[in-house]
Amino acid sequence: MAIPKLTKNERAAALEKAKAARIKRAAVRESLKSGELTLEKVLEMKDDPIVGRMKVATLIETLPGFGKAKAAKIMAELQIAESRRLRGLGERQYAALLERLSKK
Protein backbone atom coordinates (compact mmCIF):
# COMPACT_ATOMS: atom_id res chain seq x y z
CA MET A 1 0.00 0.00 0.00
CA ALA A 2 1.49 3.30 -1.08
CA ILE A 3 1.73 6.24 1.28
CA PRO A 4 -0.69 8.93 0.14
CA LYS A 5 0.81 12.16 -1.12
CA LEU A 6 -0.38 15.05 1.02
CA THR A 7 -0.31 18.71 0.24
CA LYS A 8 1.38 21.05 2.68
CA ASN A 9 -2.00 22.09 4.07
CA GLU A 10 -3.18 18.49 4.48
CA ARG A 11 0.07 17.56 6.19
CA ALA A 12 -0.18 20.56 8.53
CA ALA A 13 -3.79 19.64 9.39
CA ALA A 14 -2.79 16.04 10.10
CA LEU A 15 0.07 17.17 12.33
CA GLU A 16 -2.24 19.51 14.22
CA LYS A 17 -4.80 16.72 14.70
CA ALA A 18 -2.09 14.37 16.02
CA LYS A 19 -0.83 17.07 18.38
CA ALA A 20 -4.34 17.63 19.77
CA ALA A 21 -4.71 13.88 20.35
CA ARG A 22 -1.38 13.67 22.22
CA ILE A 23 -2.37 16.65 24.37
CA LYS A 24 -5.73 15.08 25.26
CA ARG A 25 -4.12 11.74 26.19
CA ALA A 26 -1.52 13.57 28.29
CA ALA A 27 -4.31 15.49 30.06
CA VAL A 28 -6.12 12.22 30.86
CA ARG A 29 -2.90 10.70 32.23
CA GLU A 30 -2.23 13.83 34.32
CA SER A 31 -5.79 13.77 35.70
CA LEU A 32 -5.38 10.10 36.62
CA LYS A 33 -2.03 10.78 38.27
CA SER A 34 -3.42 13.69 40.31
CA GLY A 35 -6.52 11.77 41.41
CA GLU A 36 -9.08 13.85 39.49
CA LEU A 37 -9.99 10.76 37.47
CA THR A 38 -10.24 7.19 38.68
CA LEU A 39 -8.92 4.20 36.76
CA GLU A 40 -12.48 3.01 36.24
CA LYS A 41 -13.48 6.34 34.67
CA VAL A 42 -10.51 6.25 32.31
CA LEU A 43 -11.25 2.67 31.29
CA GLU A 44 -14.86 3.66 30.61
CA MET A 45 -13.52 6.26 28.18
CA LYS A 46 -12.16 3.50 25.92
CA ASP A 47 -14.83 4.24 23.31
CA ASP A 48 -13.48 7.78 22.91
CA PRO A 49 -11.52 7.73 19.63
CA ILE A 50 -8.55 9.52 21.18
CA VAL A 51 -8.39 7.98 24.66
CA GLY A 52 -9.12 4.52 23.23
CA ARG A 53 -5.82 4.63 21.37
CA MET A 54 -3.80 4.89 24.60
CA LYS A 55 -1.75 1.80 25.33
CA VAL A 56 -2.76 -0.16 28.43
CA ALA A 57 0.87 -0.31 29.59
CA THR A 58 1.11 3.48 29.44
CA LEU A 59 -2.05 3.78 31.50
CA ILE A 60 -0.71 1.42 34.18
CA GLU A 61 2.64 3.26 34.27
CA THR A 62 0.74 6.50 34.91
CA LEU A 63 -0.69 5.21 38.18
CA PRO A 64 1.21 6.28 41.29
CA GLY A 65 3.60 3.58 42.46
CA PHE A 66 3.81 1.81 39.11
CA GLY A 67 6.63 1.87 36.59
CA LYS A 68 7.60 -0.01 33.46
CA ALA A 69 8.59 -3.19 35.33
CA LYS A 70 5.40 -3.43 37.40
CA ALA A 71 3.28 -2.57 34.37
CA ALA A 72 4.95 -5.31 32.32
CA LYS A 73 4.47 -7.81 35.17
CA ILE A 74 0.77 -7.00 35.50
CA MET A 75 0.25 -7.16 31.75
CA ALA A 76 1.90 -10.59 31.68
CA GLU A 77 -0.15 -11.83 34.68
CA LEU A 78 -3.39 -10.75 33.02
CA GLN A 79 -2.29 -12.02 29.61
CA ILE A 80 -2.67 -8.64 27.95
CA ALA A 81 -0.39 -8.07 24.97
CA GLU A 82 2.20 -5.29 25.21
CA SER A 83 0.74 -3.54 22.20
CA ARG A 84 -2.88 -3.67 23.44
CA ARG A 85 -4.71 -0.38 23.49
CA LEU A 86 -7.65 0.53 25.73
CA ARG A 87 -10.29 0.14 23.05
CA GLY A 88 -8.98 -3.36 22.31
CA LEU A 89 -9.54 -4.69 25.83
CA GLY A 90 -12.01 -7.53 26.11
CA GLU A 91 -14.59 -7.70 28.90
CA ARG A 92 -12.56 -10.24 30.91
CA GLN A 93 -9.34 -8.27 30.50
CA TYR A 94 -11.16 -5.08 31.50
CA ALA A 95 -12.59 -6.72 34.65
CA ALA A 96 -9.28 -8.41 35.53
CA LEU A 97 -7.38 -5.15 35.13
CA LEU A 98 -9.80 -3.26 37.37
CA GLU A 99 -9.70 -6.00 40.00
CA ARG A 100 -5.89 -6.29 39.95
CA LEU A 101 -5.21 -2.56 40.13
CA SER A 102 -7.87 -1.75 42.70
CA LYS A 103 -6.31 -4.06 45.31
CA LYS A 104 -2.93 -2.32 45.36
Side-chain angles (χ1 to χ4, degrees):
M1 181 174 184
I3 297 174
K5 300 290 183 195
L6 300 177
T7 66
K8 275 190 165 189
N9 290 338
E10 290 172 331
R11 182 172 296 128
L15 288 171
E16 199 58 41
K17 185 178 175 183
K19 180 181 175 184
R22 286 191 305 272
I23 289 170
K24 182 174 180 178
R25 284 191 292 269
V28 168
R29 287 193 315 270
E30 189 59 40
S31 295
L32 181 63
K33 197 181 289 189
S34 69
E36 292 174 39
L37 282 175
T38 63
L39 177 65
E40 188 172 3
K41 289 286 186 191
V42 174
L43 289 174
E44 288 174 1
M45 296 169 66
K46 72 179 186 174
D47 293 328
D48 181 294
I50 294 173
V51 177
R53 288 187 174 168
M54 186 186 310
K55 288 191 173 186
V56 176
T58 303
L59 179 70
I60 296 171
E61 291 169 19
T62 300
L63 295 169
F66 289 90
K68 289 187 183 287
K70 281 186 182 177
K73 181 181 174 189
I74 290 170
M75 298 274 290
E77 282 176 14
L78 302 178
Q79 298 178 348
I80 299 174
E82 266 183 52
S83 60
R84 180 68 65 203
R85 297 183 185 270
L86 290 181
R87 71 174 172 206
L89 282 176
E91 289 300 318
R92 287 186 290 203
Q93 290 174 326
Y94 177 88
L97 190 62
L98 268 179
E99 182 184 332
R100 174 65 173 84
L101 294 176
S102 62
K103 67 177 183 180
K104 183 198 179 253

PDB file of all heavy atoms in Angstrom, residues 7 15 19 26 29 31-32 42-44 47 50 55-56 72 74 81 83 86 91 98-99:
ATOM      1  N   THR A   7      -0.743  17.338   0.488  1.00  0.00           N
ATOM      2  CA  THR A   7      -0.312  18.711   0.238  1.00  0.00           C
ATOM      3  C   THR A   7       0.223  19.281   1.546  1.00  0.00           C
ATOM      4  O   THR A   7       0.044  18.688   2.618  1.00  0.00           O
ATOM      5  CB  THR A   7      -1.492  19.576  -0.258  1.00  0.00           C
ATOM      6  OG1 THR A   7      -2.441  19.688   0.800  1.00  0.00           O
ATOM      7  CG2 THR A   7      -2.127  18.987  -1.502  1.00  0.00           C
ATOM      8  N   LEU A  15      -0.834  16.962  11.198  1.00  0.00           N
ATOM      9  CA  LEU A  15       0.072  17.171  12.332  1.00  0.00           C
ATOM     10  C   LEU A  15      -0.645  17.850  13.491  1.00  0.00           C
ATOM     11  O   LEU A  15      -0.430  17.510  14.650  1.00  0.00           O
ATOM     12  CB  LEU A  15       1.287  18.001  11.901  1.00  0.00           C
ATOM     13  CG  LEU A  15       2.307  17.293  11.016  1.00  0.00           C
ATOM     14  CD1 LEU A  15       3.324  18.287  10.478  1.00  0.00           C
ATOM     15  CD2 LEU A  15       2.993  16.178  11.766  1.00  0.00           C
ATOM     16  N   LYS A  19      -1.257  16.322  17.205  1.00  0.00           N
ATOM     17  CA  LYS A  19      -0.826  17.071  18.382  1.00  0.00           C
ATOM     18  C   LYS A  19      -1.966  17.197  19.383  1.00  0.00           C
ATOM     19  O   LYS A  19      -1.772  17.006  20.590  1.00  0.00           O
ATOM     20  CB  LYS A  19      -0.344  18.456  17.959  1.00  0.00           C
ATOM     21  CG  LYS A  19       0.131  19.328  19.090  1.00  0.00           C
ATOM     22  CD  LYS A  19       0.574  20.685  18.563  1.00  0.00           C
ATOM     23  CE  LYS A  19       0.931  21.613  19.696  1.00  0.00           C
ATOM     24  NZ  LYS A  19       1.278  22.953  19.192  1.00  0.00           N
ATOM     25  N   ALA A  26      -2.380  13.105  27.195  1.00  0.00           N
ATOM     26  CA  ALA A  26      -1.521  13.569  28.293  1.00  0.00           C
ATOM     27  C   ALA A  26      -2.365  14.173  29.407  1.00  0.00           C
ATOM     28  O   ALA A  26      -2.074  13.961  30.596  1.00  0.00           O
ATOM     29  CB  ALA A  26      -0.511  14.595  27.776  1.00  0.00           C
ATOM     30  N   ARG A  29      -3.901  11.326  31.356  1.00  0.00           N
ATOM     31  CA  ARG A  29      -2.901  10.701  32.229  1.00  0.00           C
ATOM     32  C   ARG A  29      -2.605  11.590  33.439  1.00  0.00           C
ATOM     33  O   ARG A  29      -2.478  11.097  34.556  1.00  0.00           O
ATOM     34  CB  ARG A  29      -1.614  10.413  31.452  1.00  0.00           C
ATOM     35  CG  ARG A  29      -1.734   9.254  30.495  1.00  0.00           C
ATOM     36  CD  ARG A  29      -0.399   8.776  29.966  1.00  0.00           C
ATOM     37  NE  ARG A  29       0.491   9.834  29.540  1.00  0.00           N
ATOM     38  CZ  ARG A  29       0.546  10.347  28.311  1.00  0.00           C
ATOM     39  NH1 ARG A  29      -0.266   9.899  27.378  1.00  0.00           N
ATOM     40  NH2 ARG A  29       1.412  11.294  28.015  1.00  0.00           N
ATOM     41  N   SER A  31      -4.613  13.802  34.812  1.00  0.00           N
ATOM     42  CA  SER A  31      -5.788  13.770  35.699  1.00  0.00           C
ATOM     43  C   SER A  31      -5.823  12.485  36.513  1.00  0.00           C
ATOM     44  O   SER A  31      -6.195  12.490  37.683  1.00  0.00           O
ATOM     45  CB  SER A  31      -7.074  13.896  34.888  1.00  0.00           C
ATOM     46  OG  SER A  31      -7.151  15.148  34.271  1.00  0.00           O
ATOM     47  N   LEU A  32      -5.430  11.386  35.906  1.00  0.00           N
ATOM     48  CA  LEU A  32      -5.381  10.104  36.617  1.00  0.00           C
ATOM     49  C   LEU A  32      -4.297  10.157  37.687  1.00  0.00           C
ATOM     50  O   LEU A  32      -4.514   9.730  38.822  1.00  0.00           O
ATOM     51  CB  LEU A  32      -5.111   8.969  35.631  1.00  0.00           C
ATOM     52  CG  LEU A  32      -5.042   7.571  36.206  1.00  0.00           C
ATOM     53  CD1 LEU A  32      -6.382   7.171  36.815  1.00  0.00           C
ATOM     54  CD2 LEU A  32      -4.648   6.583  35.127  1.00  0.00           C
ATOM     55  N   VAL A  42     -11.365   6.232  33.501  1.00  0.00           N
ATOM     56  CA  VAL A  42     -10.509   6.250  32.312  1.00  0.00           C
ATOM     57  C   VAL A  42     -10.805   5.029  31.443  1.00  0.00           C
ATOM     58  O   VAL A  42     -10.913   5.142  30.215  1.00  0.00           O
ATOM     59  CB  VAL A  42      -9.018   6.305  32.693  1.00  0.00           C
ATOM     60  CG1 VAL A  42      -8.136   6.172  31.463  1.00  0.00           C
ATOM     61  CG2 VAL A  42      -8.703   7.599  33.423  1.00  0.00           C
ATOM     62  N   LEU A  43     -10.951   3.869  32.063  1.00  0.00           N
ATOM     63  CA  LEU A  43     -11.249   2.668  31.288  1.00  0.00           C
ATOM     64  C   LEU A  43     -12.610   2.760  30.612  1.00  0.00           C
ATOM     65  O   LEU A  43     -12.809   2.210  29.537  1.00  0.00           O
ATOM     66  CB  LEU A  43     -11.164   1.424  32.179  1.00  0.00           C
ATOM     67  CG  LEU A  43      -9.762   1.021  32.609  1.00  0.00           C
ATOM     68  CD1 LEU A  43      -9.817  -0.138  33.595  1.00  0.00           C
ATOM     69  CD2 LEU A  43      -8.895   0.668  31.421  1.00  0.00           C
ATOM     70  N   GLU A  44     -13.551   3.467  31.227  1.00  0.00           N
ATOM     71  CA  GLU A  44     -14.861   3.658  30.607  1.00  0.00           C
ATOM     72  C   GLU A  44     -14.765   4.570  29.389  1.00  0.00           C
ATOM     73  O   GLU A  44     -15.647   4.548  28.535  1.00  0.00           O
ATOM     74  CB  GLU A  44     -15.847   4.245  31.617  1.00  0.00           C
ATOM     75  CG  GLU A  44     -16.289   3.263  32.672  1.00  0.00           C
ATOM     76  CD  GLU A  44     -17.145   3.896  33.759  1.00  0.00           C
ATOM     77  OE1 GLU A  44     -17.421   5.120  33.678  1.00  0.00           O
ATOM     78  OE2 GLU A  44     -17.523   3.176  34.690  1.00  0.00           O
ATOM     79  N   ASP A  47     -14.123   4.048  24.570  1.00  0.00           N
ATOM     80  CA  ASP A  47     -14.828   4.242  23.307  1.00  0.00           C
ATOM     81  C   ASP A  47     -14.539   5.602  22.692  1.00  0.00           C
ATOM     82  O   ASP A  47     -14.885   5.850  21.542  1.00  0.00           O
ATOM     83  CB  ASP A  47     -16.336   4.066  23.503  1.00  0.00           C
ATOM     84  CG  ASP A  47     -16.694   2.626  23.846  1.00  0.00           C
ATOM     85  OD1 ASP A  47     -15.984   1.710  23.375  1.00  0.00           O
ATOM     86  OD2 ASP A  47     -17.662   2.419  24.589  1.00  0.00           O
ATOM     87  N   ILE A  50      -9.907   9.097  20.827  1.00  0.00           N
ATOM     88  CA  ILE A  50      -8.548   9.522  21.183  1.00  0.00           C
ATOM     89  C   ILE A  50      -8.032   8.753  22.393  1.00  0.00           C
ATOM     90  O   ILE A  50      -6.942   8.189  22.363  1.00  0.00           O
ATOM     91  CB  ILE A  50      -8.509  11.046  21.427  1.00  0.00           C
ATOM     92  CG1 ILE A  50      -8.800  11.774  20.110  1.00  0.00           C
ATOM     93  CG2 ILE A  50      -7.152  11.468  21.985  1.00  0.00           C
ATOM     94  CD1 ILE A  50      -8.948  13.257  20.225  1.00  0.00           C
ATOM     95  N   LYS A  55      -2.170   3.157  25.006  1.00  0.00           N
ATOM     96  CA  LYS A  55      -1.750   1.799  25.332  1.00  0.00           C
ATOM     97  C   LYS A  55      -2.045   1.503  26.797  1.00  0.00           C
ATOM     98  O   LYS A  55      -1.922   2.378  27.659  1.00  0.00           O
ATOM     99  CB  LYS A  55      -0.264   1.611  25.060  1.00  0.00           C
ATOM    100  CG  LYS A  55       0.055   1.567  23.574  1.00  0.00           C
ATOM    101  CD  LYS A  55       1.468   1.126  23.346  1.00  0.00           C
ATOM    102  CE  LYS A  55       1.689   0.939  21.859  1.00  0.00           C
ATOM    103  NZ  LYS A  55       2.994   0.369  21.577  1.00  0.00           N
ATOM    104  N   VAL A  56      -2.435   0.262  27.069  1.00  0.00           N
ATOM    105  CA  VAL A  56      -2.761  -0.159  28.431  1.00  0.00           C
ATOM    106  C   VAL A  56      -1.529  -0.033  29.322  1.00  0.00           C
ATOM    107  O   VAL A  56      -1.623   0.420  30.459  1.00  0.00           O
ATOM    108  CB  VAL A  56      -3.316  -1.603  28.445  1.00  0.00           C
ATOM    109  CG1 VAL A  56      -3.554  -2.083  29.864  1.00  0.00           C
ATOM    110  CG2 VAL A  56      -4.589  -1.698  27.623  1.00  0.00           C
ATOM    111  N   ALA A  72       4.687  -4.131  33.139  1.00  0.00           N
ATOM    112  CA  ALA A  72       4.948  -5.314  32.315  1.00  0.00           C
ATOM    113  C   ALA A  72       4.548  -6.591  33.056  1.00  0.00           C
ATOM    114  O   ALA A  72       3.974  -7.512  32.466  1.00  0.00           O
ATOM    115  CB  ALA A  72       6.424  -5.368  31.931  1.00  0.00           C
ATOM    116  N   ILE A  74       2.228  -6.919  35.441  1.00  0.00           N
ATOM    117  CA  ILE A  74       0.769  -6.996  35.504  1.00  0.00           C
ATOM    118  C   ILE A  74       0.189  -7.402  34.151  1.00  0.00           C
ATOM    119  O   ILE A  74      -0.714  -8.233  34.072  1.00  0.00           O
ATOM    120  CB  ILE A  74       0.176  -5.647  35.976  1.00  0.00           C
ATOM    121  CG1 ILE A  74       0.517  -5.439  37.447  1.00  0.00           C
ATOM    122  CG2 ILE A  74      -1.327  -5.583  35.753  1.00  0.00           C
ATOM    123  CD1 ILE A  74       0.210  -4.067  37.969  1.00  0.00           C
ATOM    124  N   ALA A  81      -1.540  -8.309  25.839  1.00  0.00           N
ATOM    125  CA  ALA A  81      -0.394  -8.066  24.966  1.00  0.00           C
ATOM    126  C   ALA A  81       0.185  -6.675  25.209  1.00  0.00           C
ATOM    127  O   ALA A  81      -0.535  -5.746  25.550  1.00  0.00           O
ATOM    128  CB  ALA A  81      -0.816  -8.194  23.504  1.00  0.00           C
ATOM    129  N   SER A  83       1.207  -4.539  23.161  1.00  0.00           N
ATOM    130  CA  SER A  83       0.735  -3.541  22.205  1.00  0.00           C
ATOM    131  C   SER A  83      -0.751  -3.229  22.345  1.00  0.00           C
ATOM    132  O   SER A  83      -1.271  -2.402  21.599  1.00  0.00           O
ATOM    133  CB  SER A  83       1.005  -4.025  20.781  1.00  0.00           C
ATOM    134  OG  SER A  83       0.324  -5.247  20.564  1.00  0.00           O
ATOM    135  N   LEU A  86      -6.455   0.582  24.887  1.00  0.00           N
ATOM    136  CA  LEU A  86      -7.655   0.532  25.730  1.00  0.00           C
ATOM    137  C   LEU A  86      -8.882   0.033  24.976  1.00  0.00           C
ATOM    138  O   LEU A  86      -9.632  -0.783  25.475  1.00  0.00           O
ATOM    139  CB  LEU A  86      -7.956   1.911  26.313  1.00  0.00           C
ATOM    140  CG  LEU A  86      -7.000   2.431  27.366  1.00  0.00           C
ATOM    141  CD1 LEU A  86      -7.450   3.802  27.847  1.00  0.00           C
ATOM    142  CD2 LEU A  86      -6.887   1.486  28.522  1.00  0.00           C
ATOM    143  N   GLU A  91     -13.855  -7.841  27.628  1.00  0.00           N
ATOM    144  CA  GLU A  91     -14.585  -7.698  28.903  1.00  0.00           C
ATOM    145  C   GLU A  91     -13.833  -8.352  30.062  1.00  0.00           C
ATOM    146  O   GLU A  91     -13.742  -7.790  31.142  1.00  0.00           O
ATOM    147  CB  GLU A  91     -15.989  -8.296  28.792  1.00  0.00           C
ATOM    148  CG  GLU A  91     -16.922  -7.483  27.928  1.00  0.00           C
ATOM    149  CD  GLU A  91     -17.132  -6.071  28.439  1.00  0.00           C
ATOM    150  OE1 GLU A  91     -17.295  -5.892  29.669  1.00  0.00           O
ATOM    151  OE2 GLU A  91     -17.108  -5.140  27.613  1.00  0.00           O
ATOM    152  N   LEU A  98      -9.196  -4.046  36.274  1.00  0.00           N
ATOM    153  CA  LEU A  98      -9.797  -3.262  37.367  1.00  0.00           C
ATOM    154  C   LEU A  98      -9.589  -3.951  38.710  1.00  0.00           C
ATOM    155  O   LEU A  98      -9.222  -3.310  39.700  1.00  0.00           O
ATOM    156  CB  LEU A  98     -11.290  -3.072  37.118  1.00  0.00           C
ATOM    157  CG  LEU A  98     -11.695  -1.832  36.362  1.00  0.00           C
ATOM    158  CD1 LEU A  98     -13.198  -1.807  36.167  1.00  0.00           C
ATOM    159  CD2 LEU A  98     -11.233  -0.581  37.028  1.00  0.00           C
ATOM    160  N   GLU A  99      -9.834  -5.245  38.743  1.00  0.00           N
ATOM    161  CA  GLU A  99      -9.695  -6.003  39.999  1.00  0.00           C
ATOM    162  C   GLU A  99      -8.248  -5.982  40.492  1.00  0.00           C
ATOM    163  O   GLU A  99      -7.977  -5.738  41.656  1.00  0.00           O
ATOM    164  CB  GLU A  99     -10.155  -7.448  39.802  1.00  0.00           C
ATOM    165  CG  GLU A  99     -10.071  -8.262  41.070  1.00  0.00           C
ATOM    166  CD  GLU A  99     -10.451  -9.725  40.833  1.00  0.00           C
ATOM    167  OE1 GLU A  99     -11.233  -9.998  39.919  1.00  0.00           O
ATOM    168  OE2 GLU A  99      -9.949 -10.567  41.594  1.00  0.00           O
TER     169      GLU A  99
END
